[in-house]
Amino acid sequence: MADASALKLRIEGMDCGSCAAKIETAMRRLPGVADVEVSVAGESLSLTLDEDRTSRATIKAKIAALGFHALDPAPGPGLQAHDHAPTHGHWAASAKGRLVIASGALLAAAWVVSLAGPQWAEWPYVAAAVVGLAPILRRAFAGAMNGTPFSIETLMSVAAVGAIAIGEAPEAAVVVFLFAVGELLEGVAANRARAGVKALVDLIPRTARRVRDGVVEAVPAEALEVGDLVLVRPGDRIPSDGAVQAGTSEVNEAPITGESAPVLKEIGSTVYAGSVNANGELHVAITKAAADNTIARIVHMVEEAQGSKAPTARFIERFSRWYTPGAMALALAVVVAPPLLLDGDWRTWIYRGLAVLLIACPCALVISTPAAVASGLAAGARRGLLIKGGAALEALGRVTTVAFDKTGTLTVGHPGVTDVVAIEGSMESMLGKAAAVERNSSHPLGAAIVEEAVARGVEIPQAFGGGIATPGKAVTGRLKSGFVSVGSPRHAVEGGLMTAAVSDRVAALESEGKTVVVVSEGKRLLGLVALRDRPREDAVAGLARLRALGLRTVMLTGDNARAAAAIAVELGLEHRAELLPEAKLAAIAGYRAEGPVAMVGDGVNDAPALAAASVGIAMGGGTDVALETADAALLKDRVGGVAELVVLSRATLSNIWVNVAIALGLKGAFLVATLTGAAPLWMAILADTGATVLVTANALRLLRFDPARSSAVKAARPTARRDGG
């Protein structure tokens, strides 16, 4: 297959897992076809095709024979394929809707005829059954010819034809009608599930106001290029990812990150496609094209995730391959065993055997997992919780340990001032002089000192000339009052400025994991400034929520033991410090031996640990690395999002098992009722159609599930243990 090329088609009429399985099986049987992937949620078929062996026309013809409609994806990058995709109209306009109307009308007409002339009642029911059964028979035959002999259409066809053969045409007509109604309801439910991804696509405005040479012109959003400048007025949606070049405003990022409060945006701030400008005019420089912006990547990731199969779904699919032939064998045993062994009535037991066939249809069982997983993934994406597939979604609910990187994950990732100690003069004067020296410094400690002085409203005196840096020791600047140095304690000791009392104070601050700088003027020591990377605002509450869920929390960091211990005590979790990358991997392996483990990191330097964990979770605020490195990403960039992921996963797992219980429970109840003669043939279809509708409706409940408001998360109080472990 050296000349093989990728082919992607949009598939209309595909509403459940068994539909996807039929298409996948048929495609795999064709020569020159490989890498077949079918997504019910995305209504898509992707494969690799050698057109010298199988043409595209053959692919489409096979799909049409199975009862589906194959369309070429619309031209255009990324989201545009969605923009031009055919919309789902009213149910009555669809092929399934027309079949329901036609079979229902014929069934009603047959009933009227039976009332007017009972002697003619049989044939109108036969006609109603045959008309409704014709498309089902065609699909059953096509499925059998393409590798799926034991499909639901096969079971339906055998049951309906058998019912007609034993003189139960009215029952056959009712069964066919109910089956058509069930398929229609499946389609409606599937479209509702797909609406989650469509809602994300709809966040992108169709037009943008591009500014060129001072002139504002309306252009299609997909026409924007990197570097273009756009005007975003109050109330407008931002057309693509970019950076603010002019203006100040609050932006509602809830559709993208799930952050409920508007976020202040100033010059240099990053803005995301689909977010809403609230109250000020912004000029935004585009940094990502339409096909590569945050919304496009989220949609692509969610669609890929929904197309992937969770472990439970794979198990149920394997089970159903044996289940359906086994059910047919059971139905045959029900037909022949009682008459042959117990002298039962042949007609009675044929009738009951046909009912068993209908009960045995595996649709509800097959769809129980993918429907719940698709809804769970969509619900998470709406709230800034991106999960790459059913396997990761299931694994999150089973983790027993959550390991965190420190810098940038549990902490904000840059130092902040924690203590300002004046030795001579006022604290404000000392801090202002230190900020004056560091004002033009690019060093993170210097930037933090300036930030603290500005935040406190301290007057910063003017410095004359640039600061003179002595690497690793100090920065010195000339102020009106004299030369001021901001340097390390060691530099102060070398200058003979440190007293025993000051040295003790420095040691006490350093024992708390803080970095201390000494501020001096000439030969006078003015004071100390202590700095440390600070925990995120929600770190204490987020970790408490995880512990309330019964999970062990641990911090793995390459930072020094003193700094790590200080953060660990403040946050109340176990810690292991001074870990080289290979030591981190060994630690993850050790925790994994005790049970599934999740690793939470920033998605850059933690990539090996993220990959080694059962589930890797990146905190990245929508960056490329965050979306591509790990199994899940937190767009809210909050520690509390980890607990929300776990709660969402557990809710999805619970939904799956409820679905399985519904599917098997209804089948079991109807099987008993059928074998005892308590349920007629037409009611047997409810064991599958009814179960399928109930399972799908239950799965759709997850679309409204908010893990942040779940009682499992709210039960956790923002209190931290102080025992360090």
Side-chain angles (χ1 to χ4, degrees):
M1 294 183 61
D3 299 324
S5 59
L7 173 64
K8 185 167 186 176
L9 297 172
R10 180 182 176 83
I11 309 297
E12 287 189 341
M14 181 172 59
D15 300 324
C16 67
S18 61
C19 298
K22 276 183 271 187
I23 295 174
E24 186 173 328
T25 300
M27 294 299 102
R28 292 188 186 281
R29 289 165 60 92
L30 294 173
V33 173
D35 304 323
V36 181
E37 293 184 8
V38 184
S39 170
V40 176
E43 294 183 283
S44 64
L45 163 66
S46 301
L47 50 82
T48 304
L49 177 65
D50 182 353
E51 293 195 60
D52 291 336
R53 303 176 66 189
T54 297
S55 68
R56 297 189 178 208
T58 301
I59 296 286
K60 292 183 177 180
K62 286 287 186 183
I63 293 170
L66 291 170
F68 309 101
H69 189 198
L71 299 170
D72 290 321
L79 296 178
Q80 304 318 308
H82 291 271
D83 294 339
H84 302 290
T87 56
H88 297 283
H90 192 270
W91 64 266
S94 66
K96 292 180 178 179
R98 293 193 298 271
L99 179 60
V100 167
I101 293 171
S103 59
L106 286 171
L107 183 61
W111 178 71
V112 171
V113 170
S114 69
L115 293 179
Q119 68 276 20
W120 302 104
E122 184 76 12
W123 293 108
Y125 281 116
V126 170
V130 169
V131 169
L133 190 60
I136 300 172
L137 275 168
R138 284 198 301 271
R139 283 154 51 195
F141 179 75
M145 295 298 293
N146 288 280
T148 313
F150 300 114
S151 64
I152 185 172
E153 289 84 4
T154 302
L155 301 181
M156 268 297 308
S157 300
V158 172
V161 170
I164 294 172
I166 63 173
E168 294 290 347
E171 295 252 25
V174 172
V175 164
V176 170
F177 172 69
L178 289 176
F179 179 76
V181 170
E183 286 210 313
L184 177 64
L185 291 176
E186 280 184 12
V188 171
N191 287 337
R192 282 195 60 193
R194 294 178 186 121
V197 174
K198 187 177 184 299
L200 290 173
V201 177
D202 291 342
L203 292 175
I204 301 297
R206 297 294 181 265
T207 60
R209 292 176 176 83
R210 185 170 60 191
V211 182
R212 282 191 176 174
D213 300 323
V215 178
V216 179
E217 58 177 340
V219 299
E222 62 265 27
L224 293 175
E225 299 177 353
V226 174
D228 281 347
L229 187 67
V230 297
L231 171 65
V232 185
R233 303 175 305 180
D236 287 351
R237 287 192 182 275
I238 293 168
S240 194
D241 292 4
V244 176
Q245 297 297 298
T248 301
S249 181
E250 291 183 317
V251 173
N252 178 10
E253 296 182 341
I256 316 302
T257 67
E259 176 59 63
S260 57
V263 180
L264 180 65
K265 299 295 182 180
E266 302 172 303
I267 294 175
S269 297
T270 298
V271 291
Y272 300 124
S275 52
V276 181
N277 185 20
N279 46 33
E281 195 169 85
L282 295 176
H283 284 75
V284 176
I286 299 301
T287 56
K288 294 286 178 65
D292 195 37
N293 64 40
T294 300
I295 285 288
R297 297 200 310 274
I298 291 173
V299 169
H300 178 68
M301 196 184 82
V302 172
E303 286 186 335
E304 281 196 336
Q306 290 183 340
S308 68
K309 294 175 182 176
T312 303
R314 290 195 294 267
F315 169 76
I316 289 178
E317 281 191 8
R318 291 194 301 269
F319 173 72
S320 66
R321 294 193 189 106
W322 294 97
Y323 167 86
T324 306
M328 295 190 75
L330 173 62
L332 180 62
V334 169
V335 169
V336 301
L340 293 178
L341 302 178
L342 303 173
D343 199 26
D345 177 65
W346 278 99
R347 186 181 181 282
T348 298
W349 287 102
I350 290 174
Y351 181 91
R352 293 178 183 178
L354 295 175
V356 169
L357 277 182
L358 296 178
I359 293 168
C361 293
C363 274
L365 188 63
V366 170
I367 203 174
S368 59
T369 296
V373 167
S375 294
L377 293 170
R382 289 179 179 179
R383 293 164 178 84
L385 309 172
L386 300 186
I387 308 167
K388 293 185 176 180
L393 182 59
E394 285 195 19
L396 279 163
R398 298 189 173 105
V399 298
T400 58
T401 301
V402 181
F404 290 87
D405 174 49
K406 180 178 77 70
T407 306
T409 301
L410 290 174
T411 65
V412 295
H414 55 82
V417 173
T418 59
D419 301 86
V420 179
V421 181
I423 304 297
E424 179 181 314
S426 69
M427 180 181 67
E428 290 78 10
S429 174
M430 183 269 291
L431 184 61
K433 290 179 178 181
V437 173
E438 296 282 11
R439 177 177 275 166
N440 297 318
S441 171
S442 60
H443 194 283
L445 296 180
I449 290 172
V450 175
E451 181 183 335
E452 182 70 12
V454 171
R456 295 189 181 208
V458 170
E459 181 182 353
I460 302 177
Q462 182 180 358
F464 300 94
I468 301 171
T470 305
K473 292 187 176 182
V475 175
T476 302
R478 184 167 67 88
L479 309 183
K480 187 176 181 180
S481 61
F483 285 92
V484 174
S485 294
V486 181
S488 67
R490 178 178 296 178
H491 177 69
V493 169
E494 292 173 356
L497 302 178
M498 298 284 279
T499 65
V502 173
S503 295
D504 289 344
R505 187 64 186 271
V506 169
L509 290 170
E510 288 182 339
S511 69
E512 297 172 1
K514 299 171 183 176
T515 299
V516 180
V517 296
V518 178
V519 183
S520 60
E521 186 172 24
K523 290 297 183 180
R524 295 180 295 117
L525 194 152
L526 301 182
L528 310 173
V529 179
L531 306 96
R532 191 179 72 185
D533 190 4
R534 295 157 294 179
R536 291 177 180 268
E537 289 184 2
D538 77 323
V540 171
L543 292 168
R545 289 168 184 164
L546 287 170
R547 288 192 290 271
L549 293 170
L551 301 177
R552 178 185 187 185
T553 57
V554 61
M555 181 176 72
L556 305 178
T557 180
D559 206 349
N560 67 78
R562 188 174 56 196
I567 291 290
V569 169
E570 185 172 349
L571 297 180
L573 79 168
E574 300 176 43
H575 74 281
R576 297 173 68 174
E578 301 180 0
L579 298 177
L580 296 174
E582 56 268 26
K584 260 191 185 179
L585 291 177
I588 290 292
Y591 292 124
R592 193 166 183 174
E594 301 171 6
V597 58
M599 175 66 195
V600 188
D602 61 13
V604 182
N605 57 354
D606 296 307
L610 292 173
S614 307
V615 186
I617 303 171
M619 298 183 66
T623 62
D624 290 335
V625 172
L627 290 175
E628 295 169 8
T629 307
D631 302 304
L634 302 175
L635 292 189
K636 288 184 181 180
D637 215 15
R638 292 182 176 177
V639 177
V642 181
E644 292 174 18
L645 280 172
V646 173
V647 169
L648 177 62
S649 173
R650 291 182 179 180
T652 304
L653 289 171
S654 175
N655 192 284
I656 288 171
W657 290 115
V658 169
N659 284 348
V660 171
I662 290 172
L664 295 181
L666 274 179
K667 289 182 184 298
F670 275 95
L671 180 61
V672 172
T674 297
L675 294 178
T676 58
L681 186 65
W682 66 267
M683 285 187 66
I685 193 66
L686 296 179
D688 183 70
T689 301
T692 300
V693 172
L694 287 175
V695 161
T696 305
N698 184 52
L700 289 175
R701 291 192 307 111
L702 282 172
L703 291 174
R704 300 189 299 273
F705 180 74
D706 186 350
R709 298 187 177 183
S710 166
S711 58
V713 171
K714 289 194 293 184
R717 294 288 180 263
T719 57
R721 298 179 303 175
R722 298 294 177 181
D723 58 4

